[in-house]
Amino acid sequence: MEAISFILSGKTAHFKKPDVNSYAYFTYNNIHKPALCGLLGAILGLKGYTQLFDEVENLKRKASETKGVEKKEFNLQIEKIKQKFPEYYEKLQNLKISIKPLSKNGYFNKKIQVFNNSVGYASQEQGGNLIVREQWLENPQWQIMILDDDSIERNLFNKLKDCLLNSKAEFIPYLGKNDHPAKISESKIITLKKNKNGFSGIISSLFLDTFFSYGSFGKRLFWHKEFLPISLKEKFHIYEVEQFIFTNANVASNSEMKLFFSYNDENHFFF
């Protein structure tokens, strides 16, 4: 099985956690699949949330100019658009990816950044001067693998492969926000070996906790656990999260691992 492999890095990154924002906006420690789909969608030039918003606003304008049955039809179309995925996620959500943090123990340093958002609409109640506190990752770096398994349209995958191997992009990719430009390097095609008969050993990438059991832990072993978004719900586009593990401990699974592959004596979990 072939895959695209590349190093994704940046000076800083911010993958916003939606559940806490009373004092500061906090970030996930690792890039997650919905964010990676967004980055790849930008490289491919696929439509995003801005285009969905424009479609809704255009239909609202038409609805305001009509009455009766026609107005009702426009409103139904608006509700349908609000519940559909943006183009980039619709087309890329089935990609099978592996994410390997390139840091000690899988943890990246974080610092709170404080700055002013002084645009007029930022904070009407504070005279247009909003103090923003964001937690940023410092020098994050991951090895990303994308499985070539016909999970998305062949033409689209070939275009993605061409873009990644030849440093092309329709839009500038970034790590969570446009304050954090992404660097893509060491792009190449690799050949993976599939594990068919269960597994016991070390997994070098993030993996889903539900598939494995664990051995004993020693003094030099590390264990990084994090709930990360794995997909979007179609309604309201909110995150669905799963618990991911990154560890150098031995883990085991008795089931056939359909999305488990090896490369250069390292084992990678795809999801």
PDB file of all heavy atoms in Angstrom, residues 200-230:
ATOM      1  N   SER A 200       1.323  -6.588  18.568  1.00  0.00           N
ATOM      2  CA  SER A 200       1.898  -6.354  19.881  1.00  0.00           C
ATOM      3  C   SER A 200       3.217  -5.619  19.674  1.00  0.00           C
ATOM      4  O   SER A 200       4.110  -6.118  18.988  1.00  0.00           O
ATOM      5  CB  SER A 200       2.134  -7.673  20.618  1.00  0.00           C
ATOM      6  OG  SER A 200       2.748  -7.430  21.867  1.00  0.00           O
ATOM      7  N   GLY A 201       3.337  -4.437  20.232  1.00  0.00           N
ATOM      8  CA  GLY A 201       4.549  -3.656  20.041  1.00  0.00           C
ATOM      9  C   GLY A 201       4.306  -2.182  20.318  1.00  0.00           C
ATOM     10  O   GLY A 201       3.332  -1.807  20.970  1.00  0.00           O
ATOM     11  N   ILE A 202       5.189  -1.332  19.786  1.00  0.00           N
ATOM     12  CA  ILE A 202       5.103   0.115  19.972  1.00  0.00           C
ATOM     13  C   ILE A 202       4.497   0.757  18.732  1.00  0.00           C
ATOM     14  O   ILE A 202       4.868   0.410  17.603  1.00  0.00           O
ATOM     15  CB  ILE A 202       6.498   0.711  20.247  1.00  0.00           C
ATOM     16  CG1 ILE A 202       7.065   0.150  21.553  1.00  0.00           C
ATOM     17  CG2 ILE A 202       6.439   2.238  20.309  1.00  0.00           C
ATOM     18  CD1 ILE A 202       8.507   0.535  21.811  1.00  0.00           C
ATOM     19  N   ILE A 203       3.577   1.673  18.920  1.00  0.00           N
ATOM     20  CA  ILE A 203       2.980   2.438  17.824  1.00  0.00           C
ATOM     21  C   ILE A 203       3.593   3.830  17.829  1.00  0.00           C
ATOM     22  O   ILE A 203       3.602   4.512  18.858  1.00  0.00           O
ATOM     23  CB  ILE A 203       1.455   2.525  17.961  1.00  0.00           C
ATOM     24  CG1 ILE A 203       0.852   1.116  17.975  1.00  0.00           C
ATOM     25  CG2 ILE A 203       0.853   3.333  16.820  1.00  0.00           C
ATOM     26  CD1 ILE A 203      -0.639   1.096  18.171  1.00  0.00           C
ATOM     27  N   SER A 204       4.120   4.259  16.695  1.00  0.00           N
ATOM     28  CA  SER A 204       4.869   5.515  16.620  1.00  0.00           C
ATOM     29  C   SER A 204       3.993   6.732  16.375  1.00  0.00           C
ATOM     30  O   SER A 204       4.486   7.861  16.419  1.00  0.00           O
ATOM     31  CB  SER A 204       5.929   5.418  15.513  1.00  0.00           C
ATOM     32  OG  SER A 204       6.856   4.397  15.806  1.00  0.00           O
ATOM     33  N   SER A 205       2.712   6.527  16.100  1.00  0.00           N
ATOM     34  CA  SER A 205       1.808   7.643  15.816  1.00  0.00           C
ATOM     35  C   SER A 205       0.735   7.724  16.904  1.00  0.00           C
ATOM     36  O   SER A 205       0.668   6.889  17.801  1.00  0.00           O
ATOM     37  CB  SER A 205       1.145   7.429  14.451  1.00  0.00           C
ATOM     38  OG  SER A 205       0.308   6.282  14.489  1.00  0.00           O
ATOM     39  N   LEU A 206      -0.108   8.739  16.802  1.00  0.00           N
ATOM     40  CA  LEU A 206      -1.308   8.776  17.635  1.00  0.00           C
ATOM     41  C   LEU A 206      -2.191   7.588  17.269  1.00  0.00           C
ATOM     42  O   LEU A 206      -2.250   7.183  16.108  1.00  0.00           O
ATOM     43  CB  LEU A 206      -2.084  10.070  17.388  1.00  0.00           C
ATOM     44  CG  LEU A 206      -1.418  11.393  17.760  1.00  0.00           C
ATOM     45  CD1 LEU A 206      -2.279  12.565  17.277  1.00  0.00           C
ATOM     46  CD2 LEU A 206      -1.196  11.499  19.257  1.00  0.00           C
ATOM     47  N   PHE A 207      -2.899   7.047  18.265  1.00  0.00           N
ATOM     48  CA  PHE A 207      -3.828   5.956  17.951  1.00  0.00           C
ATOM     49  C   PHE A 207      -5.037   6.038  18.875  1.00  0.00           C
ATOM     50  O   PHE A 207      -4.975   6.593  19.973  1.00  0.00           O
ATOM     51  CB  PHE A 207      -3.154   4.580  18.052  1.00  0.00           C
ATOM     52  CG  PHE A 207      -2.600   4.248  19.412  1.00  0.00           C
ATOM     53  CD1 PHE A 207      -3.371   3.573  20.353  1.00  0.00           C
ATOM     54  CD2 PHE A 207      -1.299   4.593  19.752  1.00  0.00           C
ATOM     55  CE1 PHE A 207      -2.868   3.257  21.604  1.00  0.00           C
ATOM     56  CE2 PHE A 207      -0.779   4.269  21.000  1.00  0.00           C
ATOM     57  CZ  PHE A 207      -1.564   3.604  21.927  1.00  0.00           C
ATOM     58  N   LEU A 208      -6.129   5.476  18.407  1.00  0.00           N
ATOM     59  CA  LEU A 208      -7.370   5.486  19.173  1.00  0.00           C
ATOM     60  C   LEU A 208      -7.288   4.495  20.334  1.00  0.00           C
ATOM     61  O   LEU A 208      -6.914   3.329  20.147  1.00  0.00           O
ATOM     62  CB  LEU A 208      -8.555   5.127  18.272  1.00  0.00           C
ATOM     63  CG  LEU A 208      -9.041   6.244  17.345  1.00  0.00           C
ATOM     64  CD1 LEU A 208     -10.006   5.680  16.315  1.00  0.00           C
ATOM     65  CD2 LEU A 208      -9.712   7.349  18.142  1.00  0.00           C
ATOM     66  N   ASP A 209      -7.664   4.960  21.498  1.00  0.00           N
ATOM     67  CA  ASP A 209      -7.529   4.170  22.720  1.00  0.00           C
ATOM     68  C   ASP A 209      -8.369   2.888  22.690  1.00  0.00           C
ATOM     69  O   ASP A 209      -8.005   1.882  23.286  1.00  0.00           O
ATOM     70  CB  ASP A 209      -7.936   5.054  23.909  1.00  0.00           C
ATOM     71  CG  ASP A 209      -7.743   4.365  25.242  1.00  0.00           C
ATOM     72  OD1 ASP A 209      -6.760   3.620  25.367  1.00  0.00           O
ATOM     73  OD2 ASP A 209      -8.560   4.574  26.148  1.00  0.00           O
ATOM     74  N   THR A 210      -9.487   2.893  21.992  1.00  0.00           N
ATOM     75  CA  THR A 210     -10.459   1.796  22.080  1.00  0.00           C
ATOM     76  C   THR A 210      -9.985   0.476  21.475  1.00  0.00           C
ATOM     77  O   THR A 210     -10.550  -0.571  21.759  1.00  0.00           O
ATOM     78  CB  THR A 210     -11.773   2.206  21.388  1.00  0.00           C
ATOM     79  OG1 THR A 210     -11.464   2.659  20.063  1.00  0.00           O
ATOM     80  CG2 THR A 210     -12.461   3.319  22.155  1.00  0.00           C
ATOM     81  N   PHE A 211      -8.941   0.507  20.652  1.00  0.00           N
ATOM     82  CA  PHE A 211      -8.532  -0.697  19.928  1.00  0.00           C
ATOM     83  C   PHE A 211      -7.491  -1.540  20.653  1.00  0.00           C
ATOM     84  O   PHE A 211      -7.196  -2.650  20.231  1.00  0.00           O
ATOM     85  CB  PHE A 211      -7.967  -0.323  18.546  1.00  0.00           C
ATOM     86  CG  PHE A 211      -9.008   0.162  17.582  1.00  0.00           C
ATOM     87  CD1 PHE A 211      -9.198   1.516  17.368  1.00  0.00           C
ATOM     88  CD2 PHE A 211      -9.816  -0.730  16.891  1.00  0.00           C
ATOM     89  CE1 PHE A 211     -10.155   1.975  16.486  1.00  0.00           C
ATOM     90  CE2 PHE A 211     -10.775  -0.282  16.006  1.00  0.00           C
ATOM     91  CZ  PHE A 211     -10.943   1.070  15.799  1.00  0.00           C
ATOM     92  N   PHE A 212      -6.895  -1.016  21.745  1.00  0.00           N
ATOM     93  CA  PHE A 212      -5.704  -1.663  22.282  1.00  0.00           C
ATOM     94  C   PHE A 212      -5.766  -1.881  23.786  1.00  0.00           C
ATOM     95  O   PHE A 212      -6.496  -1.216  24.509  1.00  0.00           O
ATOM     96  CB  PHE A 212      -4.459  -0.806  21.963  1.00  0.00           C
ATOM     97  CG  PHE A 212      -4.236  -0.605  20.495  1.00  0.00           C
ATOM     98  CD1 PHE A 212      -4.740   0.509  19.843  1.00  0.00           C
ATOM     99  CD2 PHE A 212      -3.521  -1.537  19.763  1.00  0.00           C
ATOM    100  CE1 PHE A 212      -4.540   0.702  18.486  1.00  0.00           C
ATOM    101  CE2 PHE A 212      -3.310  -1.359  18.408  1.00  0.00           C
ATOM    102  CZ  PHE A 212      -3.825  -0.239  17.768  1.00  0.00           C
ATOM    103  N   SER A 213      -4.946  -2.821  24.256  1.00  0.00           N
ATOM    104  CA  SER A 213      -4.688  -3.017  25.681  1.00  0.00           C
ATOM    105  C   SER A 213      -3.218  -2.712  25.924  1.00  0.00           C
ATOM    106  O   SER A 213      -2.397  -2.722  25.003  1.00  0.00           O
ATOM    107  CB  SER A 213      -5.024  -4.454  26.094  1.00  0.00           C
ATOM    108  OG  SER A 213      -4.245  -5.373  25.354  1.00  0.00           O
ATOM    109  N   TYR A 214      -2.860  -2.483  27.186  1.00  0.00           N
ATOM    110  CA  TYR A 214      -1.531  -1.970  27.489  1.00  0.00           C
ATOM    111  C   TYR A 214      -0.799  -2.866  28.469  1.00  0.00           C
ATOM    112  O   TYR A 214      -1.388  -3.473  29.363  1.00  0.00           O
ATOM    113  CB  TYR A 214      -1.631  -0.543  28.058  1.00  0.00           C
ATOM    114  CG  TYR A 214      -2.524   0.323  27.223  1.00  0.00           C
ATOM    115  CD1 TYR A 214      -3.855   0.541  27.589  1.00  0.00           C
ATOM    116  CD2 TYR A 214      -2.059   0.888  26.044  1.00  0.00           C
ATOM    117  CE1 TYR A 214      -4.674   1.311  26.796  1.00  0.00           C
ATOM    118  CE2 TYR A 214      -2.876   1.656  25.246  1.00  0.00           C
ATOM    119  CZ  TYR A 214      -4.191   1.865  25.624  1.00  0.00           C
ATOM    120  OH  TYR A 214      -5.006   2.620  24.836  1.00  0.00           O
ATOM    121  N   GLY A 215       0.546  -2.875  28.326  1.00  0.00           N
ATOM    122  CA  GLY A 215       1.378  -3.619  29.248  1.00  0.00           C
ATOM    123  C   GLY A 215       1.767  -2.750  30.441  1.00  0.00           C
ATOM    124  O   GLY A 215       1.225  -1.675  30.661  1.00  0.00           O
ATOM    125  N   SER A 216       2.724  -3.203  31.211  1.00  0.00           N
ATOM    126  CA  SER A 216       3.174  -2.453  32.387  1.00  0.00           C
ATOM    127  C   SER A 216       4.052  -1.279  31.962  1.00  0.00           C
ATOM    128  O   SER A 216       4.658  -1.282  30.889  1.00  0.00           O
ATOM    129  CB  SER A 216       3.949  -3.374  33.326  1.00  0.00           C
ATOM    130  OG  SER A 216       5.072  -3.920  32.648  1.00  0.00           O
ATOM    131  N   PHE A 217       4.122  -0.262  32.828  1.00  0.00           N
ATOM    132  CA  PHE A 217       4.885   0.939  32.535  1.00  0.00           C
ATOM    133  C   PHE A 217       6.140   0.995  33.402  1.00  0.00           C
ATOM    134  O   PHE A 217       6.103   0.728  34.600  1.00  0.00           O
ATOM    135  CB  PHE A 217       4.037   2.193  32.797  1.00  0.00           C
ATOM    136  CG  PHE A 217       2.986   2.405  31.756  1.00  0.00           C
ATOM    137  CD1 PHE A 217       1.752   1.776  31.872  1.00  0.00           C
ATOM    138  CD2 PHE A 217       3.222   3.187  30.657  1.00  0.00           C
ATOM    139  CE1 PHE A 217       0.786   1.946  30.917  1.00  0.00           C
ATOM    140  CE2 PHE A 217       2.268   3.371  29.689  1.00  0.00           C
ATOM    141  CZ  PHE A 217       1.042   2.753  29.812  1.00  0.00           C
ATOM    142  N   GLY A 218       7.262   1.364  32.798  1.00  0.00           N
ATOM    143  CA  GLY A 218       8.520   1.530  33.516  1.00  0.00           C
ATOM    144  C   GLY A 218       8.857   3.002  33.681  1.00  0.00           C
ATOM    145  O   GLY A 218       8.113   3.891  33.265  1.00  0.00           O
ATOM    146  N   LYS A 219      10.027   3.263  34.245  1.00  0.00           N
ATOM    147  CA  LYS A 219      10.426   4.638  34.554  1.00  0.00           C
ATOM    148  C   LYS A 219      10.673   5.475  33.307  1.00  0.00           C
ATOM    149  O   LYS A 219      10.492   6.685  33.325  1.00  0.00           O
ATOM    150  CB  LYS A 219      11.684   4.624  35.432  1.00  0.00           C
ATOM    151  CG  LYS A 219      11.451   4.060  36.826  1.00  0.00           C
ATOM    152  CD  LYS A 219      12.727   4.105  37.646  1.00  0.00           C
ATOM    153  CE  LYS A 219      12.485   3.550  39.045  1.00  0.00           C
ATOM    154  NZ  LYS A 219      13.723   3.566  39.863  1.00  0.00           N
ATOM    155  N   ARG A 220      11.106   4.875  32.225  1.00  0.00           N
ATOM    156  CA  ARG A 220      11.458   5.632  31.028  1.00  0.00           C
ATOM    157  C   ARG A 220      10.319   5.694  30.004  1.00  0.00           C
ATOM    158  O   ARG A 220      10.511   6.201  28.907  1.00  0.00           O
ATOM    159  CB  ARG A 220      12.705   5.031  30.382  1.00  0.00           C
ATOM    160  CG  ARG A 220      13.945   5.143  31.266  1.00  0.00           C
ATOM    161  CD  ARG A 220      15.170   4.647  30.538  1.00  0.00           C
ATOM    162  NE  ARG A 220      16.363   4.767  31.369  1.00  0.00           N
ATOM    163  CZ  ARG A 220      17.583   4.424  30.987  1.00  0.00           C
ATOM    164  NH1 ARG A 220      17.772   3.920  29.768  1.00  0.00           N
ATOM    165  NH2 ARG A 220      18.622   4.557  31.801  1.00  0.00           N
ATOM    166  N   LEU A 221       9.210   5.165  30.349  1.00  0.00           N
ATOM    167  CA  LEU A 221       8.078   5.188  29.426  1.00  0.00           C
ATOM    168  C   LEU A 221       7.247   6.442  29.631  1.00  0.00           C
ATOM    169  O   LEU A 221       7.140   6.957  30.740  1.00  0.00           O
ATOM    170  CB  LEU A 221       7.201   3.952  29.633  1.00  0.00           C
ATOM    171  CG  LEU A 221       7.869   2.606  29.313  1.00  0.00           C
ATOM    172  CD1 LEU A 221       6.917   1.470  29.596  1.00  0.00           C
ATOM    173  CD2 LEU A 221       8.332   2.570  27.872  1.00  0.00           C
ATOM    174  N   PHE A 222       6.664   6.950  28.543  1.00  0.00           N
ATOM    175  CA  PHE A 222       5.784   8.114  28.632  1.00  0.00           C
ATOM    176  C   PHE A 222       4.406   7.755  28.102  1.00  0.00           C
ATOM    177  O   PHE A 222       4.227   6.783  27.357  1.00  0.00           O
ATOM    178  CB  PHE A 222       6.359   9.313  27.877  1.00  0.00           C
ATOM    179  CG  PHE A 222       6.471   9.116  26.383  1.00  0.00           C
ATOM    180  CD1 PHE A 222       5.381   9.308  25.547  1.00  0.00           C
ATOM    181  CD2 PHE A 222       7.684   8.751  25.815  1.00  0.00           C
ATOM    182  CE1 PHE A 222       5.475   9.137  24.173  1.00  0.00           C
ATOM    183  CE2 PHE A 222       7.795   8.574  24.433  1.00  0.00           C
ATOM    184  CZ  PHE A 222       6.694   8.767  23.621  1.00  0.00           C
ATOM    185  N   TRP A 223       3.454   8.556  28.477  1.00  0.00           N
ATOM    186  CA  TRP A 223       2.045   8.295  28.154  1.00  0.00           C
ATOM    187  C   TRP A 223       1.344   9.642  27.972  1.00  0.00           C
ATOM    188  O   TRP A 223       1.189  10.392  28.917  1.00  0.00           O
ATOM    189  CB  TRP A 223       1.430   7.510  29.310  1.00  0.00           C
ATOM    190  CG  TRP A 223      -0.038   7.264  29.247  1.00  0.00           C
ATOM    191  CD1 TRP A 223      -1.037   8.082  29.698  1.00  0.00           C
ATOM    192  CD2 TRP A 223      -0.690   6.117  28.725  1.00  0.00           C
ATOM    193  NE1 TRP A 223      -2.257   7.514  29.499  1.00  0.00           N
ATOM    194  CE2 TRP A 223      -2.075   6.304  28.897  1.00  0.00           C
ATOM    195  CE3 TRP A 223      -0.229   4.936  28.134  1.00  0.00           C
ATOM    196  CZ2 TRP A 223      -3.009   5.354  28.501  1.00  0.00           C
ATOM    197  CZ3 TRP A 223      -1.166   4.002  27.736  1.00  0.00           C
ATOM    198  CH2 TRP A 223      -2.531   4.211  27.922  1.00  0.00           C
ATOM    199  N   HIS A 224       0.977   9.942  26.738  1.00  0.00           N
ATOM    200  CA  HIS A 224       0.275  11.204  26.451  1.00  0.00           C
ATOM    201  C   HIS A 224      -1.135  10.870  25.984  1.00  0.00           C
ATOM    202  O   HIS A 224      -1.323  10.148  25.005  1.00  0.00           O
ATOM    203  CB  HIS A 224       1.014  12.005  25.376  1.00  0.00           C
ATOM    204  CG  HIS A 224       0.331  13.281  25.013  1.00  0.00           C
ATOM    205  ND1 HIS A 224       0.505  14.444  25.712  1.00  0.00           N
ATOM    206  CD2 HIS A 224      -0.541  13.583  24.015  1.00  0.00           C
ATOM    207  CE1 HIS A 224      -0.222  15.409  25.177  1.00  0.00           C
ATOM    208  NE2 HIS A 224      -0.864  14.905  24.141  1.00  0.00           N
ATOM    209  N   LYS A 225      -2.111  11.376  26.685  1.00  0.00           N
ATOM    210  CA  LYS A 225      -3.519  11.093  26.375  1.00  0.00           C
ATOM    211  C   LYS A 225      -4.233  12.413  26.088  1.00  0.00           C
ATOM    212  O   LYS A 225      -4.066  13.404  26.811  1.00  0.00           O
ATOM    213  CB  LYS A 225      -4.169  10.394  27.566  1.00  0.00           C
ATOM    214  CG  LYS A 225      -5.631  10.020  27.367  1.00  0.00           C
ATOM    215  CD  LYS A 225      -6.234   9.446  28.639  1.00  0.00           C
ATOM    216  CE  LYS A 225      -5.588   8.135  29.025  1.00  0.00           C
ATOM    217  NZ  LYS A 225      -6.297   7.497  30.172  1.00  0.00           N
ATOM    218  N   GLU A 226      -5.052  12.428  25.030  1.00  0.00           N
ATOM    219  CA  GLU A 226      -5.751  13.660  24.663  1.00  0.00           C
ATOM    220  C   GLU A 226      -7.040  13.335  23.907  1.00  0.00           C
ATOM    221  O   GLU A 226      -7.044  12.462  23.028  1.00  0.00           O
ATOM    222  CB  GLU A 226      -4.846  14.540  23.795  1.00  0.00           C
ATOM    223  CG  GLU A 226      -5.456  15.869  23.394  1.00  0.00           C
ATOM    224  CD  GLU A 226      -4.521  16.736  22.573  1.00  0.00           C
ATOM    225  OE1 GLU A 226      -3.515  16.211  22.044  1.00  0.00           O
ATOM    226  OE2 GLU A 226      -4.787  17.943  22.453  1.00  0.00           O
ATOM    227  N   PHE A 227      -8.099  14.031  24.255  1.00  0.00           N
ATOM    228  CA  PHE A 227      -9.328  13.951  23.459  1.00  0.00           C
ATOM    229  C   PHE A 227      -9.202  14.916  22.293  1.00  0.00           C
ATOM    230  O   PHE A 227      -8.999  16.118  22.486  1.00  0.00           O
ATOM    231  CB  PHE A 227     -10.551  14.302  24.313  1.00  0.00           C
ATOM    232  CG  PHE A 227     -10.998  13.188  25.207  1.00  0.00           C
ATOM    233  CD1 PHE A 227     -10.523  13.083  26.507  1.00  0.00           C
ATOM    234  CD2 PHE A 227     -11.878  12.220  24.742  1.00  0.00           C
ATOM    235  CE1 PHE A 227     -10.926  12.052  27.336  1.00  0.00           C
ATOM    236  CE2 PHE A 227     -12.290  11.176  25.553  1.00  0.00           C
ATOM    237  CZ  PHE A 227     -11.818  11.096  26.860  1.00  0.00           C
ATOM    238  N   LEU A 228      -9.314  14.377  21.068  1.00  0.00           N
ATOM    239  CA  LEU A 228      -9.148  15.178  19.856  1.00  0.00           C
ATOM    240  C   LEU A 228     -10.366  15.018  18.948  1.00  0.00           C
ATOM    241  O   LEU A 228     -10.974  13.945  18.893  1.00  0.00           O
ATOM    242  CB  LEU A 228      -7.909  14.721  19.081  1.00  0.00           C
ATOM    243  CG  LEU A 228      -6.537  15.088  19.636  1.00  0.00           C
ATOM    244  CD1 LEU A 228      -5.450  14.363  18.849  1.00  0.00           C
ATOM    245  CD2 LEU A 228      -6.314  16.589  19.587  1.00  0.00           C
ATOM    246  N   PRO A 229     -10.715  16.074  18.212  1.00  0.00           N
ATOM    247  CA  PRO A 229     -11.773  15.928  17.205  1.00  0.00           C
ATOM    248  C   PRO A 229     -11.362  14.914  16.146  1.00  0.00           C
ATOM    249  O   PRO A 229     -10.219  14.913  15.686  1.00  0.00           O
ATOM    250  CB  PRO A 229     -11.876  17.339  16.607  1.00  0.00           C
ATOM    251  CG  PRO A 229     -11.335  18.248  17.663  1.00  0.00           C
ATOM    252  CD  PRO A 229     -10.240  17.457  18.319  1.00  0.00           C
ATOM    253  N   ILE A 230     -12.295  14.064  15.773  1.00  0.00           N
ATOM    254  CA  ILE A 230     -12.020  13.075  14.733  1.00  0.00           C
ATOM    255  C   ILE A 230     -12.912  13.292  13.513  1.00  0.00           C
ATOM    256  O   ILE A 230     -12.607  12.850  12.411  1.00  0.00           O
ATOM    257  CB  ILE A 230     -12.186  11.642  15.283  1.00  0.00           C
ATOM    258  CG1 ILE A 230     -11.608  10.614  14.313  1.00  0.00           C
ATOM    259  CG2 ILE A 230     -13.634  11.337  15.642  1.00  0.00           C
ATOM    260  CD1 ILE A 230     -11.541   9.214  14.866  1.00  0.00           C
TER     261      ILE A 230
END
